Amino acid sequence: MAEKISVDERWVHKIPDNLPLDEAALIEPLSVGYHAVERANLSEKSTILVVGAGPIGLLTAAVAKAQGHTVIISEPSGLRRKKAQEAQVADYFFNPIEDDIQAKVHEINEKGVDAAFECTSVQPGFDACLDAIRMGGTVVIVAIWGKPASVDMAKLVIKEANLLGTIAYNNTHPKTIDLVSTGKIKLDQFITAKIGLDDLIDKGFDTLIHHNETAVKILVSPTGKGL
């Protein structure tokens, strides 16, 4: 949060005049979602499942939807599902506590989804992804796991599934900027608060740690009015 920063030229990306700085601040996390979708190597108009509608799950879904894919979201939090619906980042929204995700997926596409994106870092989320994909489908692990996970190797083998990891981004910022500047993704809807430096702890970190269901992205600026 320094007033000025010096970085290598390769880390700097020019943004067009029609992209406000507030929205440009979200290009970095959106690039995470873009890279994840790119890693899945989807065919045109694929059907995908995003498990977890936190910030990265929402943005991953937004990228896939903007590229013309059919998107299904599985998220237990009612607040997060509501935000995903308001942002129109998916076509279907399910609660894994109440809904049989595998059954719901097969109602939409009887073969299963082409790819599933794990954005929760919990075992049931991963299991749901592996259950939901079609034969030869792909599971992309987007979440950062802090503990080992178990894999049903028989299911992985029988489905001839592709299991991929993805971290951050790889030369995707220009493509992400183009996706936003052409109006295919509206980033302002993901800014859930604008706060000043004095509110950084109470309305910033505390919200993200203890009330993260209510926030997607919080912008911090000296004035508290945004960038």
Side-chain angles (χ1 to χ4, degrees):
M1 296 184 181
E3 183 177 359
K4 297 179 180 179
I5 185 170
S6 175
V7 298
D8 292 339
E9 184 179 356
R10 67 192 180 100
W11 296 115
V12 179
H13 299 276
K14 180 176 174 57
I15 60 171
D17 293 337
N18 69 336
L19 180 56
L21 286 177
D22 280 357
E23 296 180 36
L26 274 70
I27 290 294
E28 188 270 346
L30 185 63
S31 291
V32 174
Y34 193 104
H35 182 52
V37 173
E38 193 172 62
R39 288 275 289 146
N41 194 28
L42 299 171
S43 302
E44 288 188 14
K45 297 183 178 179
S46 294
T47 301
I48 71 144
L49 170 69
V50 176
V51 176
I56 296 300
L58 274 177
L59 295 174
T60 300
V63 171
K65 188 81 172 92
Q67 293 182 351
H69 304 299
T70 298
V71 180
I72 305 164
I73 281 182
S74 171
E75 168 57 56
S77 166
L79 289 174
R80 285 184 168 178
R81 283 199 313 279
K82 181 180 178 182
K83 183 59 183 179
Q85 289 174 314
E86 291 173 347
Q88 298 181 329
V89 297
D91 304 278
Y92 303 93
F93 307 85
F94 298 119
N95 179 354
I97 297 175
E98 300 176 353
D99 300 317
D100 183 333
I101 300 302
Q102 185 177 6
K104 292 292 186 181
V105 162
H106 285 277
E107 287 176 10
I108 297 165
N109 188 324
E110 62 179 1
K111 293 182 179 180
V113 295
D114 298 294
F117 297 82
E118 201 297 297
C119 302
T120 66
S121 72
V122 297
Q123 187 68 47
F126 172 75
D127 293 340
C129 288
L130 192 54
D131 286 338
I133 58 170
R134 60 169 173 78
M135 288 288 293
T138 299
V139 175
V140 183
I141 309 299
V142 188
I144 303 296
W145 286 61
K147 55 188 178 302
S150 62
V151 180
D152 186 334
M153 299 301 276
K155 191 174 294 182
L156 189 74
V157 170
I158 291 169
K159 283 194 168 186
E160 290 196 341
N162 304 294
L163 181 58
L164 302 175
T166 179
I167 181 71
Y169 26 76
N170 185 8
N171 298 319
T172 52
H173 279 63
K175 301 172 188 176
T176 306
I177 291 170
D178 182 67
L179 200 61
V180 176
S181 64
T182 54
K184 294 180 180 178
I185 293 180
K186 304 293 186 182
L187 284 177
D188 58 340
Q189 62 191 333
F190 300 114
I191 301 171
T192 49
K194 297 179 182 181
I195 63 174
L197 292 171
D198 292 343
D199 294 321
L200 181 59
I201 303 300
D202 294 341
K203 296 182 180 180
F205 292 127
D206 184 70
T207 297
L208 293 176
I209 294 171
H210 301 293
H211 310 283
N212 60 9
E213 290 184 345
T214 65
V216 181
K217 285 297 175 182
I218 299 173
L219 290 188
V220 183
S221 65
T223 65
K225 297 180 181 179
L227 306 176

